[in-house]
Amino acid sequence: MHDLLLLIVGAALVNNVVLARFLGLCSFMGVTTKQETAIGMSAATTFVITVSCMGDWAVQKYLLEPYDIGYLRTVTFILVIAAAVQFTEMTVRKVSPSLFKLLGIYLPLITTNCAVLGLALLLVEGEMSFVKATVFGFASALGYSLVMIIFAGLRERIALAQVPRLFAGPPVGFLTASLLALAFMGFSGMATN
């Protein structure tokens, strides 16, 4: 139990997929203009990451390793991710058409989100058990969601502020993201002490 708790804290906060590993920056910068959109994207991505980590673990363990075809890892992982994204897209379209419109092109682009593939590759390299792989995927997705929602809230506040013209738009977004990354570095400092 202690190991799983450390895995959750490590994956969500210390080795945050966005702020420490710099994966998933496209959706991080593109979808976080409104908190509602960020929450929807976070929920969809959390589901996709968790399901794809479970599926990719099974593909690695029961297909790629036994038949010694590890060179097909990236292709097969992308197929598993694409299937999870397709299911998520159909569900969101049916359950919340307004959210589906808000997310727009970013929803199908979860397939090519490097955070999703990067996490699948990380769990295979770590040779985790199925339970640990699932917990790792879910905790990493929670960390991704946490950062997306915090950043969206910050961007909404900044949109109301009077920012100098030189910094308006993307520059203030990048500065805010860098300050958020510095704030999360405090978690990694606590982990090494």
Side-chain angles (χ1 to χ4, degrees):
M1 184 65 180
H2 185 267
D3 290 343
L4 291 179
L5 185 61
L6 285 176
L7 183 65
I8 291 169
V9 171
L13 300 176
V14 178
N15 294 314
N16 185 280
V17 69
V18 177
L19 300 176
R21 298 189 187 275
F22 304 111
L23 298 172
L25 292 176
C26 177
S27 59
F28 175 69
M29 293 304 290
V31 182
T32 54
T33 54
K34 293 181 182 176
Q35 208 157 22
E36 179 186 5
T37 311
I39 291 170
M41 182 64 156
S42 297
T45 306
T46 297
F47 177 77
V48 169
I49 287 175
T50 305
V51 168
S52 65
C53 280
M54 293 182 337
D56 290 336
W57 183 90
V59 165
Q60 174 69 23
K61 193 74 169 173
Y62 298 115
L63 180 68
L64 300 177
E65 282 179 7
Y67 295 106
D68 197 28
I69 51 175
Y71 56 88
L72 293 174
R73 179 178 298 135
T74 304
V75 174
T76 55
F77 283 9
I78 289 174
L79 288 173
V80 170
I81 292 166
V85 168
Q86 192 65 32
F87 177 76
T88 304
E89 188 175 3
M90 290 185 317
T91 304
V92 170
R93 182 182 298 156
K94 188 78 169 172
V95 173
S96 178
S98 61
L99 179 61
F100 182 76
K101 284 185 178 184
L102 276 174
L103 292 176
I105 190 67
Y106 288 102
L107 189 58
L109 283 178
I110 294 174
T111 304
T112 59
N113 188 333
C114 58
V116 181
L117 181 60
L119 289 171
L121 293 172
L122 282 172
L123 73 91
V124 169
E125 284 180 13
E127 297 182 13
M128 298 179 188
S129 67
F130 179 75
V131 171
K132 283 188 176 181
T134 304
V135 169
F136 174 76
F138 183 69
S140 295
L142 286 180
Y144 174 88
S145 298
L146 176 69
V147 169
M148 292 278 286
I149 293 166
I150 289 172
F151 190 59
L154 291 172
R155 287 184 76 180
E156 282 183 353
R157 301 274 305 210
I158 289 170
L160 300 175
Q162 291 183 355
V163 178
R165 202 172 75 204
L166 179 65
F167 293 108
V172 75
F174 286 119
L175 286 171
T176 306
S178 64
L179 291 173
L180 192 57
L182 285 172
F184 268 74
M185 284 183 141
F187 288 117
S188 67
M190 288 185 340
T192 57
N193 291 334

